[in-house]
Amino acid sequence: MPNPVQSRHFTLPPYHHNSIFISVINLSFNSTLSFSLLHCIFFSRVRMAPFTIATMPSLNIGRFQKSPNRILPIRCSMAAPSPSSVSIRSKAVHFDLKTYWTSLMTQINQKLDEAIEVQFPQQIYEAMRYSALAKGAKRSPPVMCISACELFGGSRLAAFPTACALEMVHAASLIHDDLPCMDDSLSRRGQPSNHTIYGVDMAILAGDALFPLGFQHIVSHTPSDLVPEPRVLRVIAEIARCVGSTGMAAGQFLDLKGGPNAVGLIQDKKFGEMAECSAVCGGLLAGAEDDEIERLRRYGRAVGVLYAIVDDILEERLKPEGDKDRENSGKSYVEVYGVEKAAEVAEELRAKALEELDGFEKYGDQVLPLYSFVNYAIDRSFNVDEASR
């Protein structure tokens, strides 16, 4: 197993901005305590895609499972949160995320259904709808987009077109990820993958069609009286960056060609990118300041990777003992470093996400949904899909 710290030429996975090393002395990730000696790793800027959430029963994830009323301490020399931030964090623990999330899902599902009406050629549209309207989808990108927009006083009506576009882009990326030439996955969210139902040719076309439909939907449905044209253009540019050659496409490339040493960048591009884009788009729609956009960017990226790591930990914990010894692909922190070290990384990401949100304390309770997403990443206190039925 590669040791990311013993190497003299150690390079931190792409969380390079604001990365801080203290007391890195020939550490070994094979040691139970050694990761804690790596006092400070801040995760900021790296890019990647599908922000999916595996909702499973709440499990004890390593040693970072916290009680619902305990705020995770900010570590690594981060400035202590202000009293007002502590108060908001405490409120977030009691925020009714289940009702908030499922209510938004109902509205988003309805608008997606209207946005992807079956036309000619019928088979392509059916394949598009199969993935974009799939049962089991948590609508994480659109929900985060709307939450970020409302943080700055933006209208939910202004955010819905972009929210739907983000879900279309997300669905398209998953269709392509599942193809035999990519991840070669026969199922997605417990259902057959798109290409197993409609064939590889139709799956490729469905994904290809969903990407531009998302852009078209933003342009044609965003209310001009609520969102000025320059903001719309910035949103389109942000999504294009997210899905492009330095974003999600780069992530899939690394997933195909990269080895264990690329795990940080793979996770960032494949899971941090979509969440970052979703949060940023919401802020752009509402007219957030540039420094606020950058704070949303860092928050979204941290949350996206956090969810992916916790998903992998939960999946590993649920595996039968015999399956845990099978050769792995080395594409996740759990596979490369093990559950305990992955849990340490998740703790750092959670602390980073909370720190970024503390900068929005002047917005009061409007920031509660974004705090709650971070808490939910750890506790998985409800199943989003079941709650929405």
Side-chain angles (χ1 to χ4, degrees), residues 349-386:
L349 286 165
R350 186 188 190 194
K352 178 62 178 172
L354 292 174
E355 181 201 24
E356 296 299 341
L357 291 181
D358 290 343
F360 296 127
E361 61 182 289
K362 67 179 181 181
Y363 293 104
D365 290 355
Q366 291 295 99
V367 76
L368 290 180
L370 297 180
Y371 273 112
S372 296
F373 294 150
V374 182
N375 296 332
Y376 179 76
I378 302 298
D379 61 45
R380 305 301 172 96
S381 54
F382 61 93
N383 185 302
V384 179
D385 182 42
E386 290 180 357

Side-chain angles (χ1 to χ4, degrees), residues 21 42 47 55 67 76 82 96 110 178 193 207 255 262 271 295 303 310 313 319 321 336 370:
F21 277 39
F42 292 170
R47 324 191 124 73
T55 49
S67 66
C76 305
S82 67
D96 188 0
Q110 179 182 346
D178 290 339
S193 299
D255 201 8
F271 303 104
R295 189 173 288 278
V303 170
V310 175
I313 292 172
K319 281 183 180 178
E321 284 300 320
V336 176
L370 297 180

Side-chain angles (χ1 to χ4, degrees), residues 1-12:
M1 183 190 309
N3 186 325
V5 182
Q6 281 183 330
S7 169
R8 292 182 179 179
H9 302 287
F10 169 63
T11 301
L12 188 67

Side-chain angles (χ1 to χ4, degrees), residues 112-134:
L112 277 171
D113 184 43
E114 296 169 355
I116 315 176
E117 294 181 346
V118 175
Q119 305 176 36
F120 177 85
Q122 181 176 339
Q123 193 170 1
I124 294 178
Y125 275 93
E126 288 176 349
M128 292 163 64
R129 288 175 61 85
Y130 177 80
S131 292
L133 299 172

Side-chain angles (χ1 to χ4, degrees), residues 10 71 143 153 183-184 195 197 244 250 261 298 334 341 371-372:
F10 169 63
I71 302 300
V143 170
D183 294 346
D184 193 17
H195 69 272
I197 299 295
N261 291 330
R298 295 188 294 268
V334 171
K341 307 312 179 285
Y371 273 112
S372 296

Side-chain angles (χ1 to χ4, degrees), residues 70-110:
R70 180 178 176 187
I71 302 300
L72 185 74
I74 295 182
R75 301 160 56 192
C76 305
S77 305
M78 292 183 184
S82 67
S84 58
S85 293
V86 171
S87 175
I88 294 175
R89 289 191 188 190
S90 299
K91 284 185 179 181
V93 173
H94 304 289
F95 178 76
D96 188 0
L97 181 63
K98 179 178 179 179
T99 298
Y100 177 84
W101 196 328
T102 54
S103 174
L104 274 178
M105 282 180 64
T106 299
Q107 298 176 67
I108 292 164
N109 288 339
Q110 179 182 346

